Amino acid sequence: MQFVNPNKVLLEREMNELDKLVIDFISILKKHVDYVIISGYVSLLFGRSRTTEDVDVFIKELTDKHLAELYENLTEKGYWCINAEELQTISEYLNSGSAVRFAKINSTIPNFEVKFALKQLDLEAFKDFVVVETRLGQLKISSLERQIAYKRFYLKSPKDTEDAEFIENLFKDKLNKDKINKYKILLKSI
Amino acid sequence: MNFLKPGKDNTEDRLNFVRYWAEYCRTHTDEDWSRQQNILINAMMHNAKTFPLSPKEYLKLKKEPCNR
């Protein structure tokens, strides 16, 4: 992989079935709303040797009209929401800060855990992101420093600590340590 | 590249492997490490199709509501 700059990485990996699904889902999503992929899938994209059942995605808040258009487009392309069928229920979940999960119709794993970025710290992921250029298209992920800080200082499970360790060791000389510390302080205050 | 160091316990052993694998990914081509990682991830994708869970069953495990 080539670390072009703190906001761009070129990745020449062979894409697996999960990567292809992510590219497909994101190609639909990004027509309707700005997004950023966060958490576990980011580590997997760069090579972490584990699997995941879900891909976490922040999207910007949508009006009911725009959410309806997105939902209709996802449905047309073979996805369903596994939490609810009715648009109104999906909208209520998202607007209350809960995530909703989309998967290929008649399946549940893997799924996309989609959430409105409503809090200030969540919204900052849209300003601090990395574009990963893959063989099948671009993916927008939250910054590596943010990933590390969230996993190491907020989520803290063994799996999350290992994800943070992986990204730190992989990009060790490319990371902005001051930014990790900034996030660490912000996360300790919530 | 250094050899993989055994850990004193499971936690250390896992972390040692994470560091070893990160070093491997850093020092080998993307094609090389991804070919190995894909075996694991594609197997998970295959298993998910072979043993599907209904939304109700899955969300019960996640302790999340299901209105389907």
Side-chain angles (χ1 to χ4, degrees):
Chain A
M1 69 191 78
Q2 193 189 338
F3 188 87
V4 180
N5 60 50
N7 304 109
K8 188 163 188 176
V9 175
L10 299 181
L11 194 59
E12 284 293 314
R13 65 162 302 146
E14 284 185 7
M15 303 294 269
N16 57 49
E17 294 306 310
L18 178 63
D19 297 323
K20 290 174 191 168
L21 184 70
V22 173
I23 290 278
D24 181 62
F25 183 81
I26 293 297
S27 72
I28 304 162
L29 190 71
K30 72 181 182 188
K31 287 183 198 156
H32 300 271
V33 64
D34 197 5
Y35 78 94
V36 64
I37 300 172
I38 56 164
S39 210
Y41 178 70
V42 172
S43 313
L44 268 67
L45 184 63
F46 292 122
R48 172 98 150 92
S49 58
R50 72 169 178 91
T51 61
T52 188
E53 68 190 42
D54 55 21
V55 176
D56 299 282
V57 186
F58 272 151
I59 58 172
K60 286 199 173 163
E61 208 173 343
L62 287 169
T63 61
D64 279 355
K65 179 181 172 286
H66 288 116
L67 180 62
E69 288 166 3
L70 168 63
Y71 187 43
E72 190 187 342
N73 199 181
L74 284 169
T75 308
E76 277 167 9
K77 299 286 181 184
Y79 289 89
W80 67 347
C81 175
I82 63 175
N83 300 93
E85 195 171 357
E86 294 297 321
L87 177 67
Q88 197 187 332
T89 315
I90 296 169
S91 171
E92 281 167 12
Y93 283 142
L94 286 169
N95 283 298
S96 69
S98 296
V100 291
R101 296 174 185 269
F102 294 94
K104 274 288 181 186
I105 195 154
N106 296 328
S107 72
T108 48
I109 298 173
N111 59 70
F112 296 87
E113 193 174 356
V114 177
K115 197 175 174 183
F116 279 169
L118 298 173
K119 296 175 194 158
Q120 191 51 40
L121 201 53
D122 299 343
L123 282 165
E124 282 192 22
F126 291 89
K127 293 182 207 151
D128 187 21
F129 62 86
V130 178
V131 172
V132 182
E133 187 87 50
T134 76
R135 288 177 177 183
L136 298 178
Q138 288 185 343
L139 292 172
K140 205 161 105 175
I141 60 167
S142 78
S143 78
L144 302 170
E145 290 85 354
R146 188 184 159 100
Q147 290 292 323
I148 292 165
Y150 256 90
K151 288 191 163 274
R152 195 176 279 291
F153 307 116
Y154 186 73
L155 298 170
K156 297 182 191 174
S157 75
K159 179 185 73 180
D160 293 305
T161 305
E162 288 170 10
D163 282 353
E165 189 75 24
F166 178 76
I167 294 173
E168 271 180 334
N169 279 272
L170 186 64
F171 292 100
K172 50 184 166 187
D173 49 340
K174 311 280 195 309
L175 298 169
N176 179 341
K177 303 234 162 55
D178 290 340
K179 205 202 272 188
I180 298 175
N181 278 328
K182 187 196 91 178
Y183 277 119
K184 180 181 173 182
I185 293 163
L186 281 171
L187 289 166
K188 284 198 169 170
S189 69
I190 58 172
Chain B
M1 200 180 144
N2 292 329
F3 285 105
L4 173 61
K5 197 175 149 193
K8 288 193 289 288
D9 53 32
N10 187 46
T11 306
E12 192 180 285
D13 207 39
R14 288 185 62 92
L15 276 173
N16 284 350
F17 181 76
V18 168
R19 291 180 192 123
Y20 172 83
W21 183 244
E23 181 66 9
Y24 188 95
C25 295
R26 218 168 57 79
T27 53
H28 290 72
T29 64
D30 293 351
E31 284 91 348
D32 183 323
W33 59 255
S34 63
R35 216 170 290 138
Q36 298 180 61
Q37 187 212 32
N38 288 354
I39 295 168
L40 181 71
I41 293 179
N42 288 338
M44 179 277 291
M45 296 291 283
H46 177 74
N47 286 344
K49 280 180 195 153
T50 313
F51 304 105
L53 287 173
S54 71
K56 251 193 186 101
E57 290 165 332
Y58 175 72
L59 292 169
K60 193 177 171 191
L61 289 172
K62 305 293 290 182
K63 295 181 179 138
E64 291 177 22
C66 181
N67 284 294
R68 266 201 169 268

